[in-house]
Amino acid sequence: MMVDYIVSNTDGGANLRDAPDSGAIKRNLPFGTALTSIPGSTGKWKSVETANGEKGYVSDKNLKVPASDAIVRLIQSAAHYWEAFAFGRGKEDTSPYYDLVVEIWKELGQGMPPFKRDEKGKVLKDKNGNDVYNTSHPDWPWSAAGMSAFIRRAKGYKNFQFSRLHATYIHNSVVARKAKDPDAPFWGYQLNEQAVRVGDLVCQWRGTQQDYKSAGQSAGFTSHTDVICDIKSGYLYAIGANVESDTVGRKKYTINSTGHLTGPSGGSFKSDNTVFMLMRNMVA
């Protein structure tokens, strides 16, 4: 299926109608639904077809034109994990979300968090007799492992370096952009250089302040990334792992009138305070 649009509205998806404007609602299309364009579009109403062959009209305010099918797959992957974690309500250390975090660590293959222990140092076990991992251990944040899972599920990002550190691929994106590497999955940019697109990654520093220059010099800093999924007027929503509520959740970032992330200057949200870079999705 060639994708012309993706449902980008994270606030309820988009209604598929049998006619433009006041047409009857056939069903709701969830965030992440891929659509092809068919003849009949009029004004803001796009005539579309789903992968299952359903045809109808969708308001363009709930759609984005993706730059590539790889971006569609990444948005759908983020949507998958967001739904799997009950749209930000599922906590990392409670079932069934605990099992998802453990699976994410195992897929990454770069070690596992330590086991939980009682006051006497004995490893705790679940009802099935399995040792219980401490998925909330402060030395084992799973946000980068989660982003790696997003990208692994999306497929096609063959040169992405999966890591338990966001700084690994943030650094790689800056190096790739400077080298003009055509095979790199992401290129790193300063905030004022590129307007945001769905499928790009927002970069935040953690602990020690970073900038574009320092990110290009080292991959040894603490940081965070979220996938841009839903671009509005003046702000966007991005989805990431191990966010504030220890879940896969949605965060809000400020963008200016030219579509650039503002970072701390001009930002209206707490999440803007540590934004320092954009990773442009380059996968065709």
Side-chain angles (χ1 to χ4, degrees), residues 6 8 10 31 64 71 74-76 78 147 150 186 191 194-203 225-232 235-240 250-251 253-255 259-261 275 277-281:
I6 188 167
S8 60
T10 55
F31 159 64
K64 285 290 182 293
I71 288 175
L74 180 54
I75 297 302
Q76 291 177 330
M147 182 58 68
F150 288 10
F186 293 91
L191 300 182
Q194 292 286 338
V196 297
R197 299 189 315 196
V198 293
D200 292 345
L201 270 57
V202 181
C203 304
T225 58
D226 296 314
V227 182
I228 297 173
C229 294
D230 186 4
I231 301 171
K232 308 288 192 182
Y235 65 96
L236 62 81
Y237 285 116
I239 293 174
R250 186 181 71 163
K251 288 160 62 178
Y253 295 93
T254 304
I255 53 176
H260 295 79
L261 287 159
V275 172
M277 216 182 84
L278 178 76
M279 288 172 60
R280 170 53 48 88
N281 193 321

Side-chain angles (χ1 to χ4, degrees), residues 53-130:
E54 299 171 280
K55 298 178 181 179
Y57 292 84
V58 177
S59 171
D60 63 6
K61 71 178 181 180
N62 296 320
L63 303 176
K64 285 290 182 293
V65 177
S68 70
D69 285 355
I71 288 175
V72 173
R73 296 194 303 272
L74 180 54
I75 297 302
Q76 291 177 330
S77 180
H80 165 82
Y81 281 102
W82 191 35
E83 181 178 3
F85 278 81
F87 302 102
R89 297 187 299 275
K91 305 297 184 181
E92 62 191 15
D93 57 356
T94 60
S95 182
Y97 316 108
Y98 161 87
D99 299 312
L100 293 170
V101 176
V102 170
E103 180 182 315
I104 284 169
W105 277 120
K106 287 182 176 179
E107 285 182 347
L108 182 63
Q110 296 182 14
M112 297 295 294
F115 294 118
K116 281 189 174 182
R117 298 178 182 273
D118 61 20
E119 294 178 353
K120 295 181 179 180
K122 185 177 179 180
V123 174
L124 300 179
K125 296 184 180 294
D126 63 21
K127 62 182 180 180
N128 297 317
N130 300 311

Side-chain angles (χ1 to χ4, degrees), residues 207-266:
T208 302
Q209 186 169 353
Q210 303 295 325
D211 57 24
Y212 183 80
K213 181 179 179 180
S214 64
Q217 293 172 336
S218 167
F221 55 92
T222 54
S223 50
H224 180 81
T225 58
D226 296 314
V227 182
I228 297 173
C229 294
D230 186 4
I231 301 171
K232 308 288 192 182
S233 176
Y235 65 96
L236 62 81
Y237 285 116
I239 293 174
N242 197 21
V243 296
E244 281 84 348
S245 300
D246 301 325
T247 186
V248 172
R250 186 181 71 163
K251 288 160 62 178
K252 205 171 185 179
Y253 295 93
T254 304
I255 53 176
N256 60 24
S257 59
T258 56
H260 295 79
L261 287 159
T262 65
S265 61

Side-chain angles (χ1 to χ4, degrees), residues 1-8 32-38 41 46-48 60 63-66 72:
M1 175 184 179
M2 185 179 71
V3 178
D4 295 305
Y5 304 109
I6 188 167
V7 176
S8 60
T33 301
L35 302 167
T36 56
S37 177
I38 58 177
S41 294
K46 302 305 179 186
S47 180
V48 298
D60 63 6
L63 303 176
K64 285 290 182 293
V65 177
V72 173

